[in-house]
Amino acid sequence: MRKLMSIVLGLTFCGTALAAGESKEAKRLESAAYVVNEIMQSPEQGIPRDLLDRAVCVGIIPSEIRLAFGLGGSYGKGALVCRKGGNGPWGAPSMFTIYGVNFGFQIGGKATDIVFIVMNTGGVRKLLQSGVKLGVDASAAAGPVGRTAEGATDLQMHAEILSYSRSRGLFAGVSLAGAMLRPDYGANYQLYKHVYEPKEILIDGLAAAPDAAKRMDDILVQFSPKGGEPFPKA
């Protein structure tokens, strides 16, 4: 039954994403919503709920294309959404691009969905820097998988970023160390028709969540209605 519901949700997302006149940015958000739903449908293999409840933000990279050339290279486009104020309801997304090497898959090319959770407000502020390198500017680790974070390593429990992958139906923690993340200003402008800095969207709350982000926010509310920690007052 759960598998059937997942298929129905997937068809619904795809149908919405193909609506006439929908922008690439809206389709990216629809795909992100589908990925979050899929990765959380199997509690034994998903992101532990207690970790998701601690998370301040969630980043989703739908179907990131991994191309391996020796060390391995990859590039993807995603969306980052944070709790309003750090511990309120899920808010408006900010688009980003990610690229780098050594993401854990170095043989062959494959489409892989990536989800990462930002565990504290310090990690959020580091991600908002232009050209932040994960594992260097912000600590990152492959996230533990299961119903709870019991048994997680000390490195995982203290990392600012915990990341997960979904490839061909398989879920696992995957390290993003070495990846470079940059704001996608062009996509944000297309989505909001206004020039916003990522901080203005994610921390200051100046942008209203677009209709295209509602499904993603609703799914995050379903799995983690409250949590996070408040952003420090400036």
Side-chain angles (χ1 to χ4, degrees):
M1 184 67 179
R2 175 177 292 172
K3 186 174 182 180
L4 177 61
M5 287 296 294
S6 179
I7 293 172
V8 171
L9 280 169
L11 292 174
T12 301
F13 292 159
C14 291
T16 303
L18 293 174
E22 189 169 33
S23 69
K24 292 184 295 183
E25 291 72 30
K27 291 178 182 179
R28 193 193 307 184
L29 291 174
E30 290 289 342
S31 296
Y34 176 72
V35 169
V36 171
N37 182 70
E38 284 286 288
I39 206 169
M40 294 303 296
Q41 281 296 326
S42 302
E44 299 297 339
Q45 295 181 317
I47 301 171
R49 293 288 187 93
D50 49 348
L51 286 184
L52 187 58
D53 288 343
R54 283 176 47 201
V56 178
C57 305
V58 175
I60 308 102
I61 308 159
S63 297
E64 182 188 15
I65 303 302
R66 298 181 179 281
L67 299 174
F69 300 99
L71 287 177
S74 54
Y75 172 81
K77 294 184 177 183
L80 182 66
V81 59
C82 299
R83 302 180 195 267
K84 294 180 180 178
N87 61 349
W90 295 99
S94 181
M95 303 302 212
F96 66 88
T97 59
I98 187 169
Y99 60 92
V101 297
N102 201 24
F103 283 9
F105 296 101
Q106 296 185 0
I107 302 177
K110 61 176 70 176
T112 304
D113 300 318
I114 299 292
V115 175
F116 62 85
I117 54 178
V118 188
M119 302 309 297
N120 53 51
T121 58
V124 179
R125 293 187 180 278
K126 291 176 182 178
L127 282 185
L128 297 184
Q129 301 170 12
S130 181
V132 59
K133 192 170 186 178
L134 302 182
V136 177
D137 302 310
S139 60
V145 174
R147 289 184 179 271
T148 71
E150 185 178 354
T153 67
D154 187 65
L155 174 63
Q156 290 170 326
M157 294 306 294
H158 289 89
E160 293 172 309
I161 312 291
L162 293 174
S163 47
Y164 299 83
S165 70
R166 183 180 81 101
S167 181
R168 298 176 184 174
L170 300 177
F171 301 88
V174 62
S175 176
L176 295 182
M180 187 74 74
L181 189 146
R182 294 183 183 277
D184 191 343
Y185 288 103
N188 278 343
Y189 180 78
Q190 292 300 321
L191 191 63
Y192 296 106
K193 304 305 180 186
H194 185 85
V195 178
Y196 284 115
E197 289 292 330
K199 175 180 177 294
E200 294 176 320
I201 299 172
L202 299 173
I203 294 181
D204 300 336
L206 299 185
D211 291 341
K214 184 178 186 304
R215 194 182 303 277
M216 182 173 64
D217 283 351
D218 286 346
I219 290 172
L220 287 170
V221 167
Q222 176 186 346
F223 292 108
S224 183
K226 58 183 179 180
E229 64 180 56
F231 289 125
K233 295 185 182 296

